[in-house]
């Protein structure tokens, strides 16, 4: 399906040095913010108390935050959960407030304004559990990255695998950099979004690499740069349609999904935008910088067909 037909090759590779320089600077800035500012981990990672309360009428979140501030709880996450009558409260251990009576104290405070408030759920996440989640989350990202690199290495050629994994990690690090710079709440849902972006980004790279491999067969007397430009140009229609449709769904979650899905959708939005950029203007120029050639492709094609027929 081609809604956007492009007849002439777009010379993407002629801008390769500029785009890779921009990506390198952006990547360094992201790493800098992660190292200096750190992530604002949510209760899932830091440990704390999670409460769900129910109001008989629409809850005023600003009033709820004000009541908690009066108690000395200044950075409590307050958001609607499921409906406008249900409110989710997350008090992290960073507040230095612990104890089994904390939930009762909060409920008593809320009932001073509205006696109809009901406690629906109370959970406590210990610091050890949070630490384990951080370690397991980092391990999950590492294993996914290794798996992607191994697949591309076998399926295409090691230069393709290296270029793709650099581009994919570029996307993930930049998303984390945004969360570090703006100090957005980093929770398990955001971690899930990072894993989704890895898969999404590698899919985009595989589509382009497949077309490059096809062009190596068909365009035998053409320069490598022109082969890559042609591959990217021929996949542009598919790229535009796929990303527009995906972003429509993510935008709906971003603006209509409430605070529970807000940062999940925000991470996906950043990931989608950068995955387009990285697959076209990072991964492909890296192939040129590493000197990919038709001989490299032919040498590994038979091995790939034997392993992955």
């Amino acid at each position: 399906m081609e809604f956007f037909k492009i007849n002439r090759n777009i010379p993407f590779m002629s801008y390769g040095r500029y785009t890779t320089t921009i990506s390198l600077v952006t990547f360094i800035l992201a790493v800098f913010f992660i190292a200096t500012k750190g992530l604002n981990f949510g209760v899932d990672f830091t440990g704390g108390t999670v409460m769900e309360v129910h109001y008989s009428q629409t809850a005023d979140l600003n009033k709820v935050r004000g009541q908690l501030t009066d108690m000395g709880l200044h950075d409590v996450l307050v958001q609607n959960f499921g409906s406008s009558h249900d409110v989710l409260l997350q008090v992290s251990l960073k507040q230095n407030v612990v104890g089994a009576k904390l939930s009762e104290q909060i409920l008593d405070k809320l009932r001073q304004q509205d006696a109809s408030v009901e406690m629906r759920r109370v959970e406590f996440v210990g610091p050890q559990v949070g630490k384990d989640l951080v370690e397991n989350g980092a391990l999950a990202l590492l294993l996914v990255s290794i798996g992607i690199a191994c697949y591309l290495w076998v399926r295409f050629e090691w230069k393709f695998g290296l270029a793709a994994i650099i581009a994919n990690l570029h996307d993930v690090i930049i998303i984390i950099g945004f969360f570090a710079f703006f100090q957005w709440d980093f929770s398990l849902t955001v971690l899930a979004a990072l894993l989704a972006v890895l898969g999404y980004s590698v899919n985009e790279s595989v589509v382009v690499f497949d077309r490059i491999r096809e062009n190596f067969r068909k365009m035998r007397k053409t320069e490598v740069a022109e082969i890559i430009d042609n591959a990217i140009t021929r996949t542009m229609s598919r790229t535009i349609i796929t990303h527009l449709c995906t972003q429509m769904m993510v935008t709906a979650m971003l603006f209509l999904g409430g605070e529970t899905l807000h940062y999940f959708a925000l991470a996906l939005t950043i990931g989608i935008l950068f995955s387009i950029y990285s697959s076209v203007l990072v991964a492909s120029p890296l192939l040129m910088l590493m000197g990919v050639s038709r001989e490299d492709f032919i040498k590994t094609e038979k091995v790939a067909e034997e392993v992955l027929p």
Side-chain angles (χ1 to χ4, degrees):
M1 183 183 296
E2 269 192 309
F3 290 156
F4 308 93
K5 190 171 181 61
I6 304 173
N7 295 319
R8 293 185 178 180
N9 291 342
I10 302 174
F12 291 105
M13 293 304 99
S14 62
Y15 306 105
R17 292 184 179 179
Y18 303 106
T19 57
T20 50
T21 302
I22 293 171
S23 297
L24 180 61
V25 172
T26 309
F27 183 87
I28 293 172
L29 286 174
V31 173
F32 172 77
F33 290 129
I34 294 170
T36 56
K37 303 188 72 171
L39 291 173
N40 180 26
F41 287 112
V43 174
D44 297 335
F45 295 112
T46 62
T49 302
V50 178
M51 298 173 54
E52 182 186 342
V53 296
H54 176 78
Y55 285 79
S56 58
Q57 70 281 339
T58 300
D60 188 333
L61 299 184
N62 290 326
K63 284 186 177 180
V64 174
R65 292 188 184 98
Q67 290 176 275
L68 295 174
T69 301
D70 292 340
M71 295 179 61
L73 304 175
H74 300 281
D75 296 320
V76 179
L77 180 63
V78 180
Q79 61 189 29
N80 287 118
F81 185 75
S83 71
S84 60
H85 295 259
D86 297 304
V87 179
L88 187 70
L89 310 175
Q90 297 184 14
V91 186
S92 71
L93 290 179
K94 293 184 291 185
Q95 298 282 333
N96 295 320
V97 180
V98 294
K101 292 185 178 181
L102 175 61
S103 59
E104 297 178 6
Q105 294 171 358
I106 292 176
L107 183 61
D108 291 340
K109 184 66 176 180
L110 297 179
R111 282 177 174 170
Q112 291 178 8
Q113 292 282 343
D114 189 339
S116 66
V117 179
E118 299 178 9
M119 180 76 72
R120 292 291 177 86
R121 175 169 62 98
V122 180
E123 294 179 0
F124 177 76
V125 180
Q128 183 59 44
V129 175
K131 181 182 177 182
D132 291 342
L133 287 174
V134 172
E135 294 174 353
N136 291 336
L139 180 61
L141 283 174
L142 177 62
L143 292 178
V144 169
S145 301
I146 293 174
I148 290 171
C150 291
Y151 168 77
L152 293 174
W153 193 315
V154 173
R155 187 60 176 165
F156 296 98
E157 201 261 347
W158 72 267
K159 294 176 182 177
F160 285 85
L162 182 59
I165 203 62
I166 291 174
N168 294 347
L169 291 178
H170 161 274
D171 299 340
V172 171
I173 294 298
I174 287 179
I175 294 173
I176 298 175
F178 269 97
F179 274 80
F181 179 74
F182 292 104
Q183 287 295 288
W184 292 330
D185 187 62
F186 192 91
S187 62
L188 281 175
T189 56
V190 177
L191 177 61
L194 292 180
L195 294 173
V197 166
L198 268 176
Y200 189 86
S201 183
V202 74
N203 178 69
E204 188 66 27
S205 299
V206 166
V207 169
V208 175
F209 288 172
D210 257 331
R211 191 55 60 93
I212 292 173
R213 182 169 60 177
E214 182 181 328
N215 283 353
F216 270 131
R217 294 192 188 102
K218 295 181 178 180
M219 305 168 66
R220 297 184 179 277
K221 296 182 180 180
T222 309
E223 295 293 329
V224 174
E226 188 176 347
I227 286 176
I228 296 176
D229 287 337
N230 178 268
I232 298 172
T233 303
R234 289 174 63 191
T235 58
M236 285 300 293
S237 178
R238 174 261 170 204
T239 299
I240 294 171
I241 295 170
T242 301
H243 289 288
L244 279 179
C245 292
T246 307
Q247 189 56 51
M248 285 172 59
M249 303 301 105
V250 174
T251 302
M253 288 192 293
L254 183 63
F255 292 105
L256 303 177
E259 292 189 41
T260 306
L261 294 176
H262 179 74
Y263 290 119
F264 173 77
L266 188 59
L268 285 179
T269 298
I270 298 170
I272 289 171
L273 294 176
F274 275 95
S275 67
I276 302 172
Y277 172 82
S278 65
S279 61
V280 174
L281 298 174
V282 177
S284 299
L286 282 175
L287 289 177
M288 293 290 298
L289 291 175
M290 289 186 288
V292 69
S293 64
R294 182 177 286 103
E295 288 71 23
D296 292 328
F297 166 73
I298 294 173
K299 184 171 57 178
T300 58
E301 186 179 26
K302 293 183 178 179
V303 176
E305 290 178 351
E306 291 175 2
V307 177
L308 297 169

